[in-house]
Amino acid sequence: MLHPRQIWVTLASVGIAIGMASGVQAAKMSIEPSHSTTQFQTIEQPLGLKVGVTLGGLTLIGLELWWFLFSKAKGQQAESIQGIQELTITVDGGYEPANVVVKSGQLVRLNFLRRDPNSCLEKVLLPEFHIIRQLPLNQVTAIEFTPNKPGRYLFTCGMNMFRGVVEVQR
């Protein structure tokens, strides 16, 4: 009785032999052009088709430019409650919102709610504030800090693949 492994080896060997034989046969075949020409031939297209293709191409270029240059998400303002600027950030395939706007000189509390089990999102880092926190799955983790000067401060996942920004304004 043949074992499954022997059957697979036999099938693979037959496949390789057939492939090599057909490759040799194809190499022996002479390639003769059916029609030889030394000049290019123009293909006339209707004017409407030319205009349509051109407009379609320009539209796609415009959409790409808009997407990469002008579709930046506006920052979400943190809500001030009893002198603490607070905002919840959902961690699910990235950070939402990814841009947070706060005022300088006031305590900020960012509540990270991790929904994504991806191991990359287990941590959040705010390097400028020397903060590294574990984010347990399906739990809210509060991170507090006080930004003293205006600027844009990056926060990232543990592998620096997902990013967000805390924009500190006066």
Side-chain angles (χ1 to χ4, degrees):
M1 182 167 172
L2 292 174
H3 293 290
R5 183 176 179 188
Q6 291 173 330
I7 294 171
W8 286 112
V9 168
T10 304
L11 287 174
S13 300
V14 169
I16 290 172
I18 291 172
M20 289 175 62
S22 64
V24 169
Q25 186 64 28
K28 287 181 180 178
M29 291 173 51
S30 66
I31 300 173
E32 294 181 19
S34 61
H35 157 28
S36 122
T37 165
T38 58
Q39 294 181 344
F40 291 106
Q41 294 179 341
T42 60
I43 300 174
E44 290 300 320
Q45 299 290 334
L47 181 62
L49 181 63
K50 290 178 183 179
V51 170
V53 169
T54 302
L55 289 176
L58 290 173
T59 301
L60 289 174
I61 291 170
L63 285 172
E64 286 181 30
L65 287 172
W66 172 80
W67 178 261
F68 288 108
L69 298 178
F70 305 115
S71 71
K72 302 286 185 204
K74 302 291 182 210
Q76 186 168 340
Q77 183 75 38
E79 192 174 320
S80 186
I81 302 170
Q82 297 177 350
I84 299 174
Q85 301 176 87
E86 190 166 8
L87 185 69
T88 299
I89 298 174
T90 304
V91 182
D92 192 5
Y95 300 107
E96 182 60 38
N99 297 326
V100 179
V101 179
V102 298
K103 291 185 168 66
S104 65
Q106 293 181 6
L107 181 65
V108 174
R109 179 182 300 141
L110 298 179
N111 298 313
F112 287 88
L113 173 59
R114 179 173 162 234
R115 297 267 187 223
D116 192 334
N118 184 347
S119 63
C120 177
L121 294 166
E122 288 178 347
K123 289 183 184 178
V124 65
L125 290 76
L126 286 98
E128 286 85 2
F129 301 104
H130 306 290
I131 297 173
I132 299 174
R133 290 284 159 70
Q134 289 290 121
L135 300 177
L137 191 59
N138 296 320
Q139 293 182 19
V140 175
T141 303
I143 296 178
E144 295 182 350
F145 59 95
T146 303
N148 291 320
K149 60 182 180 177
R152 293 175 55 88
Y153 301 97
L154 191 67
F155 61 90
T156 68
C157 68
M159 296 178 189
N160 200 20
M161 291 173 59
F162 299 100
R163 299 177 182 156
V165 173
V166 176
E167 184 177 335
V168 180
Q169 299 176 344
R170 291 183 194 258

